[in-house]
Amino acid sequence: MRIGILNSGGDCPGLNAVIHGVVGAADQLGWEVIGFRDGFEGLLPPGDYTILKPKDTVGILKMGGTILGTTNKGHFAAKVGKGDIAEVPPEIVAKAKRTMEQLEISALVIVGGDGSLTTGLQLYREGWPIIGVPKTIDNDLHATAMTFGFDSAVNSVVDGLDRLQTTADSHKRVMVLEVMGRHAGWIALWGGIAGGASVVLLPEIPFSYEKVAEHIKARDAQGYHSTLVVVAEGACLPQGDIVSVDANCGGEVRLGGVGQVVAKRLEELTGKETRSCTLGHLQRGGAPTSLDRILGMRFGVMAVKLASEGDFGRMVSYQSYHVGSVPIQEAVNKLRLVEPDSELVQAARAVGICLGE
Amino acid sequence: MRIGILNSGGDCPGLNAVIHGVVGAADQLGWEVIGFRDGFEGLLPPGDYTILKPKDTVGILKMGGTILGTTNKGHFAAKVGKGDIAEVPPEIVAKAKRTMEQLEISALVIVGGDGSLTTGLQLYREGWPIIGVPKTIDNDLHATAMTFGFDSAVNSVVDGLDRLQTTADSHKRVMVLEVMGRHAGWIALWGGIAGGASVVLLPEIPFSYEKVAEHIKARDAQGYHSTLVVVAEGACLPQGDIVSVDANCGGEVRLGGVGQVVAKRLEELTGKETRSCTLGHLQRGGAPTSLDRILGMRFGVMAVKLASEGDFGRMVSYQSYHVGSVPIQEAVNKLRLVEPDSELVQAARAVGICLGE
Amino acid sequence: MRIGILNSGGDCPGLNAVIHGVVGAADQLGWEVIGFRDGFEGLLPPGDYTILKPKDTVGILKMGGTILGTTNKGHFAAKVGKGDIAEVPPEIVAKAKRTMEQLEISALVIVGGDGSLTTGLQLYREGWPIIGVPKTIDNDLHATAMTFGFDSAVNSVVDGLDRLQTTADSHKRVMVLEVMGRHAGWIALWGGIAGGASVVLLPEIPFSYEKVAEHIKARDAQGYHSTLVVVAEGACLPQGDIVSVDANCGGEVRLGGVGQVVAKRLEELTGKETRSCTLGHLQRGGAPTSLDRILGMRFGVMAVKLASEGDFGRMVSYQSYHVGSVPIQEAVNKLRLVEPDSELVQAARAVGICLGE
Amino acid sequence: MRIGILNSGGDCPGLNAVIHGVVGAADQLGWEVIGFRDGFEGLLPPGDYTILKPKDTVGILKMGGTILGTTNKGHFAAKVGKGDIAEVPPEIVAKAKRTMEQLEISALVIVGGDGSLTTGLQLYREGWPIIGVPKTIDNDLHATAMTFGFDSAVNSVVDGLDRLQTTADSHKRVMVLEVMGRHAGWIALWGGIAGGASVVLLPEIPFSYEKVAEHIKARDAQGYHSTLVVVAEGACLPQGDIVSVDANCGGEVRLGGVGQVVAKRLEELTGKETRSCTLGHLQRGGAPTSLDRILGMRFGVMAVKLASEGDFGRMVSYQSYHVGSVPIQEAVNKLRLVEPDSELVQAARAVGICLGE
């Protein structure tokens, strides 16, 4: 029996842990694992793949990125149509199917984000033996309480804030750090709290520059002459603000925009020297944290279990501190956002963090 | 209004985050915070304490240990009697009560382990306004799904394994790392998985030296000439094994025993050069991880919320990804152990980790 | 007896170690230390300063930035005139002198870069008891073989490259990392070598985009589908290239310019997906490395020794693995640059690093 | 043309960087590199070796240990005879020579410590084309100002002290950390200074328990209730002290002895709770620091340069901030020790570090 695996979309710490889990669990069942390279692209004839044995995954648990490579867009890119059905062109699907058949793949594990899982759902509905593994560094998928990569990204934000704090203190500056999070502010919120930021601006909570500026000036009056501001790339900017989109990034990730805009406004309103930094690609890479290694590995093992039981069309999921699964169709297109009145947000406010309201 | 706080028992990364949360939340309510020094000892007349304002907790979120100090044993040490009632000598309780009254403490937050919380329960039953915050680096308290300090301890184990792996590989050795965990093997299991150990020995799962030696020899035959072994200090050793207790540690923590015994046996059985290391105090200290900072802070904020609502006799708890509370009496003396057939343990086995069975 | 100390110019890991060294050594001599705040500004009447005792410097050895604060520009900013004489306005000097006299400062330790030391030289020539301590994160001062902060900055670059590598590999991208170094490429060169970059572009070595593109394409042909490029902010760009200066940074540090320009050109020439990142303020802050802590501390101790011996007008310096001193006037305005044919550069070339020639 | 390389003796961070440098530089000259496994053992017929190409060393710059493996003792172990001549048995040398001839090795790079280099010297004197690369994590070889691995070991000590400090503070304890250094105290001294230890005990400076205890008590009186003590494994203990040698370590490294002895005495003399920890193998492994990566790589490149010039019998050496070489016979058996009155030691004393005198 053969199980295929591919990674799709932006890379994320923990992808290799999933591969490690899949390969280890498959090996114990006597299954062979075929790793397709560069996402769905590897499925196109003649097929770009490698056979993965336990020896090939020694040490990858600790490595960021993915040894299989991944693709953000490619031949399988598709507008998501009505009813949550991705519309990958039929001729592409047919070609890929030929590879599946020639390689006699009994189950295909797709590790990807919302878009890739929607593609997986389309394929499943067309009869493919699909197992989904959620990959969202933003941790914003409703159907799973936690995803790998998030803890690592939060750590990158904390590392960044640690570095900015000493220089902010020395120069009595306001430092604005732009981090990931187009729809959900989890990275900004967790990173901001753990890294000692005093202002955190999220997509979910509209903010006012005046309120933030007041907060900074109040801090100054209390003797805190520096302030760290974390802003999610999708922060809910006051209307009328124009954010330049970095052409270099092909629209994929909006870099260098929001942080600079916020920094400029805050400098005008507070009169304090203000600098901005964009973490950008620095928060995607690097070694995964312990938690992400374990979570990714468990996801991979569960994917093989589902495959061995012929339980297709399901996505691995973390619920109530155990790894299980849910139907893919119940998982896609449903975001888990920061709730403005949740216990976590209240705790942030309780320790004096300004959310800009 | 005044709220008191004390840390009791062994130190743990995240204690300062709890203090930070308590001080921040109390300040927003206009409450004053009294930090008692060195655990319950600080309650003894004339009282050893300090007033804590937000300025006093700047930056402590990131610091290991506790700025208040803590005591493992002292005047409040007591045999736990029947019915979960600690029996702190009445004259000690009376003295401490005087301090409480003189300082007009409206609520006392006790951050401590099972023993300290049992003492807290005794005091609550005698009418004290007690709020408990669980502190167990081993993450083995039944009433809370997660405790601060655990993630940091796991990281220390992973750091240790990372260091041992390169030297083990270079010299083709078996390396045994002894880690914390007298009753529960969570640290050993999480640390072992995330750090790439091939053998993990826990208190919950009896093991056989022969099985472990076979595993190591099988690895050798497959070309893996080094093996990392993680052993919890309370690992379930085969009967008849004598473990020397390090007299230097006063019986508090059993250091340098189990790891050396296991290393010696494995060397005899495998014929491979084997070395042992004891992480000891190295896994208690250091800066808390992001997760532990946030969890500790949320616990502190919730403690103040309970205090402000007069909801005494309760312990802060993490359940279903939110911080809430449970009655202290339902929380103490109930351990959460590694279940030998849980999804996590199965995942470890699936990727080839030997648990010695 | 009283010794004054001030930090001037951009912050740098190790400044606090210098303060720690000065305070410790002065204390042993029975001298009092006055720390002036925010650079030379602290000298202006009525004087902004704090008395520093050993207790005030506990733990600062490990902290980035400076507890005294620093100023980049201010009342003492001066065009450097002929003959290496800074021309701080006489009325400013006179005011500062009054503070020196009122506080009865016997020696003033200036920890600063080339500009600040030139100001120090002017003051020394006017009779002030000046001791200089070199601060250049770029490690480009001719008169000292090593300066604190450099090793820490190199580590920041290596951390950044570690993070970029996994994402570059996963997506088969070229990643351009812009780092500090306006005149000298030491940070880019050391960071690039240690972090595994394949291309390093320096101020000292003119490069050709075509040569770099050829190198990347040759790597592709050999199966290395990702490439890390480190570019110093002052890299010797081919003529005609326009670099946008980030207005937000007030001209102080040129951010976000060179890296983006280089990335765009390389993408055009290689056809490979290319991204750029700017480390910016992230490489200034954070905890100093062991080496920088020790070097800074030794510099501080030597400054006090010079002060105690009345050996003014001298700058602390590291030569032949020992800390000694040189006349300030021989130290300022003489840069130590990367020599294109040095053993270090040859070693970089020998392991296949492209310097763009 | 073929160049051979082997690593001998205990592993050390940076060994892989040397291999990386040798392979890169040899490749540019069109030479082939043969890596012998497990030290000199790999030379025994039929030869245990691997051909190393640049692709085989991708990423190893950042890895601790050595991909070639190493052996501490083995067939080449020899009593060092008179006149610095190692006396490897002639029949062993003859066998190894056969491997050299069959593989047509034109130069053999030996990366090893004093003992291994002495063996190298013997072989050179018997006509072998030997190039030495010094490997001493203790940084105690007279003929080179710096060796790779030292900075990484110092960092491990600092990491350890950082972890111990928070727990020492919380419990008001004395913490004794035993580190490497049988003959020279460089690791203890650098690690102790950078990690904030207040007492450092070295092989080079005899100490008195009474003086150390007085220092700790004086600190207590000043309000510093915890003290970090670093003790080198070869610390110059007062006469009469018996140190138990850990049988598990085969006499190779004396673990668990000195630190415990010192802790016990200090506890008796100060009455303060005292704990000891032994870093042991934790300080050998892990990823090399930036500095060690670069130094190792430069050493490797220089070794190939010497080989290509037929300059045999020489050892790579770092002098005056450049990598060059010296005759092996001038390098072996001459230690560089901590000088009790050097500027570095004076600086340590100046900031209040007690050396036990």
Side-chain angles (χ1 to χ4, degrees):
Chain A
M1 302 283 275
R2 274 187 183 155
I3 191 165
I5 177 170
L6 62 82
N7 300 142
S8 180
D11 73 311
C12 178
L15 285 173
N16 279 323
V18 177
I19 297 170
H20 178 68
V22 165
V23 171
D27 185 66
Q28 296 227 339
L29 294 175
W31 288 40
E32 192 173 76
V33 177
I34 300 283
F36 291 101
R37 293 211 182 86
D38 304 334
F40 289 102
E41 300 297 298
L43 285 170
L44 294 180
D48 186 3
Y49 59 88
T50 179
I51 297 174
L52 292 170
K53 296 190 175 303
K55 272 220 165 174
D56 303 312
T57 67
V58 169
I60 71 170
L61 187 70
K62 305 177 180 181
M63 292 165 47
T66 160
I67 57 168
L68 289 176
T70 183
T71 302
N72 259 331
K73 316 223 153 169
H75 294 85
F76 288 75
K79 286 200 312 286
V80 172
K82 288 176 194 166
D84 296 348
I85 302 172
E87 290 172 349
V88 178
E91 69 277 13
I92 295 292
V93 174
K95 279 184 184 173
K97 190 152 196 187
R98 238 177 293 147
T99 307
M100 289 282 286
E101 287 166 357
Q102 279 171 1
L103 293 172
E104 297 179 9
I105 304 290
S106 306
L108 180 63
V109 178
I110 296 170
V111 191
D114 221 44
S116 308
L117 291 177
T118 306
T119 298
L121 183 58
Q122 175 189 355
L123 297 174
Y124 168 68
R125 285 173 172 161
E126 296 184 20
W128 293 46
I130 298 292
I131 307 288
V133 173
K135 173 205 68 67
T136 151
I137 201 166
D138 291 331
N139 203 21
D140 61 357
L141 195 58
H142 189 265
T144 184
M146 214 157 50
T147 49
F148 60 86
F150 173 68
D151 191 48
S152 302
V154 168
N155 261 5
S156 297
V157 172
V158 170
D159 280 0
L161 289 174
D162 279 353
R163 290 174 187 278
L164 294 181
Q165 178 150 52
T166 56
T167 190
D169 286 350
S170 301
H171 289 277
K172 301 185 176 172
R173 283 175 182 157
V174 176
M175 282 284 189
V176 177
L177 183 67
E178 180 183 325
V179 305
M180 285 192 296
R182 261 179 290 183
H183 306 298
W186 297 108
I187 291 176
L189 184 57
W190 281 67
I193 296 174
S198 300
V199 178
V200 178
L201 305 176
L202 310 173
E204 293 92 339
I205 303 178
F207 71 89
S208 132
Y209 287 121
E210 288 71 23
K211 288 282 163 73
V212 176
E214 269 169 39
H215 184 80
I216 294 171
K217 286 191 276 188
R219 282 176 55 80
D220 239 48
Q222 292 159 30
Y224 305 111
H225 298 301
S226 70
T227 295
L228 297 182
V229 177
V230 172
V231 52
E233 55 180 339
C236 189
L237 294 183
Q239 280 210 326
D241 250 354
I242 299 160
V243 173
S244 65
V245 174
D246 183 339
N248 194 36
C249 287
E252 173 208 349
V253 178
R254 192 175 53 181
L255 286 174
V258 177
Q260 280 185 26
V261 167
V262 169
K264 203 180 158 201
R265 288 290 172 98
L266 293 180
E267 188 162 61
E268 287 164 7
L269 288 170
T270 63
K272 286 188 69 72
E273 208 174 51
T274 304
R275 297 281 184 277
S276 73
C277 259
T278 302
L279 265 190
H281 297 285
L282 296 171
Q283 65 204 306
R284 254 190 197 294
T289 60
S290 307
L291 197 151
D292 285 339
R293 296 178 193 185
I294 294 174
L295 193 59
M297 184 273 278
R298 288 164 83 176
F299 276 16
V301 170
M302 181 55 66
V304 172
K305 194 176 177 222
L306 293 171
S308 73
E309 293 168 352
D311 216 354
F312 301 117
R314 296 187 72 85
M315 185 192 83
V316 173
S317 161
Y318 190 74
Q319 296 292 356
S320 302
Y321 310 102
H322 289 279
V323 174
S325 67
V326 295
I328 297 178
Q329 67 179 12
E330 289 180 17
V332 293
N333 294 321
K334 284 167 201 153
L335 289 186
R336 192 165 52 80
L337 301 179
V338 175
E339 290 168 40
D341 286 315
S342 60
E343 172 263 328
L344 174 64
V345 173
Q346 284 177 23
R349 286 195 188 101
V351 292
I353 293 174
C354 169
L355 296 163
E357 303 160 287
Chain B
M1 302 282 275
R2 272 185 186 157
I3 190 165
I5 176 170
L6 62 84
N7 299 142
S8 180
D11 72 311
C12 178
L15 285 172
N16 279 323
V18 178
I19 298 171
H20 178 67
V22 165
V23 171
D27 185 66
Q28 297 226 339
L29 295 175
W31 288 41
E32 191 172 74
V33 177
I34 300 282
F36 291 100
R37 292 210 183 86
D38 304 334
F40 289 102
E41 301 298 297
L43 285 170
L44 295 180
D48 187 3
Y49 59 88
T50 180
I51 297 173
L52 291 170
K53 296 190 175 304
K55 272 220 165 173
D56 302 311
T57 67
V58 169
I60 71 168
L61 186 70
K62 304 177 182 182
M63 291 165 49
T66 159
I67 57 168
L68 288 176
T70 182
T71 301
N72 260 331
K73 315 223 152 168
H75 294 85
F76 288 75
K79 290 199 309 286
V80 171
K82 291 174 193 164
D84 295 348
I85 303 172
E87 291 173 349
V88 179
E91 68 276 13
I92 295 292
V93 174
K95 277 185 183 171
K97 188 151 200 188
R98 239 177 294 145
T99 307
M100 289 282 288
E101 287 166 357
Q102 278 170 2
L103 292 173
E104 298 178 8
I105 303 291
S106 305
L108 180 64
V109 178
I110 295 170
V111 191
D114 220 44
S116 309
L117 291 176
T118 305
T119 298
L121 183 58
Q122 175 189 354
L123 297 174
Y124 169 67
R125 285 171 173 163
E126 297 184 20
W128 293 47
I130 298 292
I131 307 287
V133 173
K135 172 203 70 67
T136 152
I137 201 167
D138 291 330
N139 203 21
D140 61 357
L141 196 57
H142 188 264
T144 184
M146 214 158 48
T147 49
F148 60 86
F150 172 68
D151 191 49
S152 302
V154 168
N155 261 5
S156 297
V157 173
V158 171
D159 280 358
L161 289 174
D162 280 351
R163 290 174 187 278
L164 293 181
Q165 179 150 53
T166 56
T167 189
D169 286 349
S170 300
H171 290 277
K172 302 185 175 170
R173 283 176 182 156
V174 176
M175 282 284 189
V176 177
L177 184 66
E178 180 185 325
V179 306
M180 286 193 295
R182 262 179 289 183
H183 307 296
W186 297 108
I187 290 176
L189 184 57
W190 281 67
I193 296 174
S198 301
V199 178
V200 177
L201 305 176
L202 310 173
E204 293 93 340
I205 303 179
F207 71 90
S208 135
Y209 287 121
E210 288 71 22
K211 288 282 165 69
V212 176
E214 270 169 38
H215 184 79
I216 293 170
K217 285 191 278 189
R219 283 175 55 79
D220 240 46
Q222 292 159 29
Y224 305 111
H225 298 301
S226 70
T227 293
L228 297 182
V229 177
V230 173
V231 53
E233 55 181 340
C236 190
L237 295 182
Q239 279 209 326
D241 250 354
I242 300 161
V243 174
S244 65
V245 174
D246 183 340
N248 193 34
C249 287
E252 175 207 346
V253 177
R254 195 174 51 182
L255 284 175
V258 178
Q260 280 185 25
V261 167
V262 169
K264 203 179 158 203
R265 289 289 172 98
L266 293 180
E267 188 161 60
E268 288 163 7
L269 289 169
T270 64
K272 288 188 68 71
E273 208 175 52
T274 304
R275 296 282 184 274
S276 73
C277 259
T278 302
L279 265 190
H281 297 285
L282 296 171
Q283 64 205 307
R284 256 192 196 293
T289 59
S290 307
L291 196 151
D292 285 339
R293 296 178 193 184
I294 293 174
L295 193 58
M297 184 272 276
R298 288 163 84 176
F299 275 17
V301 170
M302 181 54 66
V304 172
K305 193 174 178 224
L306 292 172
S308 73
E309 293 168 353
D311 215 354
F312 301 115
R314 296 186 72 84
M315 185 192 83
V316 172
S317 161
Y318 190 74
Q319 296 293 357
S320 303
Y321 310 102
H322 289 279
V323 175
S325 66
V326 295
I328 296 179
Q329 67 180 11
E330 289 179 16
V332 293
N333 294 320
K334 285 168 202 150
L335 289 186
R336 191 164 53 80
L337 301 179
V338 175
E339 290 168 39
D341 287 315
S342 60
E343 171 263 327
L344 173 64
V345 173
Q346 284 177 24
R349 286 195 189 101
V351 293
I353 293 174
C354 169
L355 297 163
E357 304 160 286
Chain C
M1 301 282 277
R2 273 185 184 156
I3 191 166
I5 177 170
L6 62 83
N7 299 142
S8 179
D11 74 310
C12 178
L15 285 172
N16 279 323
V18 178
I19 297 171
H20 178 68
V22 164
V23 170
D27 185 66
Q28 295 227 341
L29 294 175
W31 288 40
E32 192 173 75
V33 176
I34 300 282
F36 291 101
R37 293 211 183 85
D38 304 333
F40 288 103
E41 301 297 297
L43 285 169
L44 294 180
D48 187 2
Y49 60 87
T50 179
I51 296 174
L52 291 170
K53 296 190 175 305
K55 273 219 166 175
D56 304 311
T57 67
V58 169
I60 70 169
L61 187 69
K62 304 177 181 181
M63 293 164 47
T66 161
I67 57 169
L68 289 175
T70 183
T71 302
N72 261 330
K73 314 221 155 168
H75 294 85
F76 288 75
K79 288 199 310 287
V80 172
K82 288 176 194 167
D84 296 347
I85 302 173
E87 289 173 351
V88 178
E91 69 277 14
I92 295 292
V93 174
K95 279 183 183 173
K97 189 149 197 191
R98 239 177 294 146
T99 307
M100 288 282 287
E101 286 166 358
Q102 278 171 2
L103 292 172
E104 296 179 10
I105 304 291
S106 305
L108 180 64
V109 178
I110 296 169
V111 190
D114 220 44
S116 308
L117 291 177
T118 305
T119 299
L121 183 58
Q122 176 190 353
L123 298 174
Y124 168 66
R125 284 172 174 162
E126 296 183 22
W128 292 48
I130 299 294
I131 307 288
V133 173
K135 173 203 68 69
T136 153
I137 202 167
D138 291 330
N139 203 21
D140 62 356
L141 195 58
H142 188 266
T144 184
M146 214 155 52
T147 50
F148 60 86
F150 172 69
D151 191 48
S152 302
V154 168
N155 262 4
S156 298
V157 172
V158 170
D159 280 0
L161 290 174
D162 280 353
R163 290 174 188 278
L164 294 182
Q165 180 150 51
T166 57
T167 190
D169 285 350
S170 300
H171 289 278
K172 302 186 175 172
R173 283 175 182 157
V174 176
M175 282 284 189
V176 178
L177 183 66
E178 180 183 324
V179 306
M180 285 193 295
R182 262 180 287 185
H183 306 297
W186 296 108
I187 290 176
L189 184 56
W190 281 67
I193 296 173
S198 301
V199 179
V200 177
L201 306 176
L202 311 173
E204 293 93 338
I205 302 179
F207 72 90
S208 134
Y209 286 121
E210 288 71 22
K211 287 283 164 71
V212 176
E214 269 169 40
H215 184 80
I216 293 171
K217 286 191 277 188
R219 282 175 56 79
D220 240 46
Q222 292 159 29
Y224 304 112
H225 298 301
S226 71
T227 294
L228 298 182
V229 177
V230 172
V231 52
E233 56 181 337
C236 190
L237 295 182
Q239 278 210 326
D241 250 353
I242 298 160
V243 174
S244 66
V245 174
D246 182 341
N248 194 35
C249 288
E252 175 206 348
V253 177
R254 192 173 53 181
L255 285 174
V258 177
Q260 280 186 25
V261 167
V262 168
K264 203 179 158 202
R265 289 290 173 97
L266 293 180
E267 188 162 60
E268 288 164 7
L269 288 169
T270 64
K272 287 187 69 70
E273 208 175 51
T274 304
R275 297 282 183 275
S276 73
C277 259
T278 302
L279 266 190
H281 297 285
L282 296 171
Q283 65 205 305
R284 254 191 195 294
T289 60
S290 306
L291 196 150
D292 285 339
R293 296 178 193 184
I294 293 174
L295 193 59
M297 184 272 279
R298 288 163 85 176
F299 276 16
V301 170
M302 182 55 66
V304 172
K305 193 175 179 221
L306 293 171
S308 73
E309 293 169 351
D311 216 353
F312 301 115
R314 297 186 73 85
M315 185 192 83
V316 172
S317 160
Y318 191 73
Q319 296 293 356
S320 303
Y321 310 102
H322 289 278
V323 175
S325 67
V326 295
I328 297 178
Q329 67 179 10
E330 289 179 16
V332 293
N333 296 320
K334 283 167 203 152
L335 289 184
R336 192 165 53 81
L337 301 178
V338 174
E339 289 168 41
D341 287 315
S342 59
E343 172 263 328
L344 173 64
V345 173
Q346 284 177 23
R349 286 195 188 101
V351 292
I353 293 175
C354 169
L355 296 163
E357 303 159 287
Chain D
M1 302 282 276
R2 274 186 184 157
I3 190 165
I5 176 169
L6 63 83
N7 299 142
S8 180
D11 73 310
C12 177
L15 284 172
N16 279 324
V18 178
I19 297 170
H20 177 67
V22 165
V23 171
D27 185 67
Q28 297 226 338
L29 294 175
W31 288 40
E32 193 172 73
V33 177
I34 300 282
F36 291 100
R37 293 212 182 86
D38 304 334
F40 288 102
E41 301 297 297
L43 285 170
L44 294 180
D48 187 3
Y49 59 88
T50 180
I51 296 173
L52 292 170
K53 296 193 176 301
K55 272 220 165 173
D56 303 311
T57 67
V58 169
I60 70 169
L61 186 71
K62 305 177 180 183
M63 293 165 49
T66 159
I67 57 169
L68 289 176
T70 182
T71 302
N72 259 330
K73 315 223 152 168
H75 295 84
F76 288 75
K79 289 199 311 285
V80 171
K82 289 175 195 165
D84 295 348
I85 303 172
E87 291 172 350
V88 178
E91 69 277 13
I92 295 292
V93 174
K95 279 184 183 172
K97 189 150 197 188
R98 239 176 294 145
T99 307
M100 288 282 287
E101 287 166 359
Q102 278 171 1
L103 293 173
E104 297 178 10
I105 304 292
S106 305
L108 180 64
V109 177
I110 297 170
V111 191
D114 221 43
S116 309
L117 292 176
T118 305
T119 298
L121 183 58
Q122 176 189 354
L123 297 174
Y124 169 67
R125 283 172 175 162
E126 296 183 21
W128 293 47
I130 298 293
I131 307 288
V133 173
K135 173 204 68 68
T136 152
I137 202 168
D138 290 331
N139 203 20
D140 61 357
L141 195 57
H142 189 265
T144 183
M146 215 156 50
T147 49
F148 61 85
F150 173 69
D151 191 48
S152 302
V154 168
N155 261 5
S156 298
V157 173
V158 170
D159 280 359
L161 290 173
D162 280 352
R163 290 175 187 275
L164 294 181
Q165 179 150 52
T166 55
T167 189
D169 286 350
S170 300
H171 289 277
K172 301 187 177 171
R173 283 175 182 158
V174 176
M175 282 284 190
V176 177
L177 183 66
E178 180 184 323
V179 305
M180 286 193 295
R182 263 179 288 184
H183 306 297
W186 296 109
I187 289 176
L189 184 56
W190 281 68
I193 296 174
S198 301
V199 177
V200 177
L201 305 176
L202 310 173
E204 294 93 338
I205 303 179
F207 71 90
S208 135
Y209 287 120
E210 288 71 23
K211 287 282 164 70
V212 175
E214 270 170 37
H215 185 79
I216 292 170
K217 287 192 276 188
R219 282 175 55 80
D220 240 46
Q222 292 159 30
Y224 304 112
H225 298 302
S226 70
T227 294
L228 297 182
V229 177
V230 173
V231 52
E233 55 181 340
C236 191
L237 295 183
Q239 279 209 326
D241 251 353
I242 299 161
V243 173
S244 65
V245 174
D246 183 340
N248 193 36
C249 287
E252 176 207 346
V253 178
R254 194 174 52 182
L255 284 175
V258 177
Q260 281 185 25
V261 167
V262 168
K264 203 179 158 201
R265 290 291 172 97
L266 293 180
E267 188 162 58
E268 288 164 7
L269 289 170
T270 64
K272 288 188 69 71
E273 210 175 50
T274 304
R275 297 281 184 275
S276 73
C277 259
T278 302
L279 265 190
H281 297 285
L282 296 171
Q283 64 205 306
R284 254 191 196 295
T289 60
S290 307
L291 196 150
D292 285 339
R293 296 179 193 183
I294 293 174
L295 193 59
M297 183 272 278
R298 288 163 83 175
F299 275 17
V301 170
M302 181 55 66
V304 172
K305 192 174 179 222
L306 292 171
S308 73
E309 293 168 353
D311 215 354
F312 301 115
R314 298 186 71 85
M315 186 193 84
V316 172
S317 160
Y318 190 73
Q319 296 293 357
S320 303
Y321 310 101
H322 289 278
V323 174
S325 67
V326 295
I328 297 179
Q329 68 179 12
E330 289 179 16
V332 292
N333 295 319
K334 284 169 202 150
L335 290 184
R336 191 166 52 81
L337 301 179
V338 175
E339 290 168 40
D341 287 315
S342 59
E343 172 264 326
L344 173 64
V345 174
Q346 285 177 23
R349 286 195 187 101
V351 292
I353 292 174
C354 168
L355 297 163
E357 305 160 286

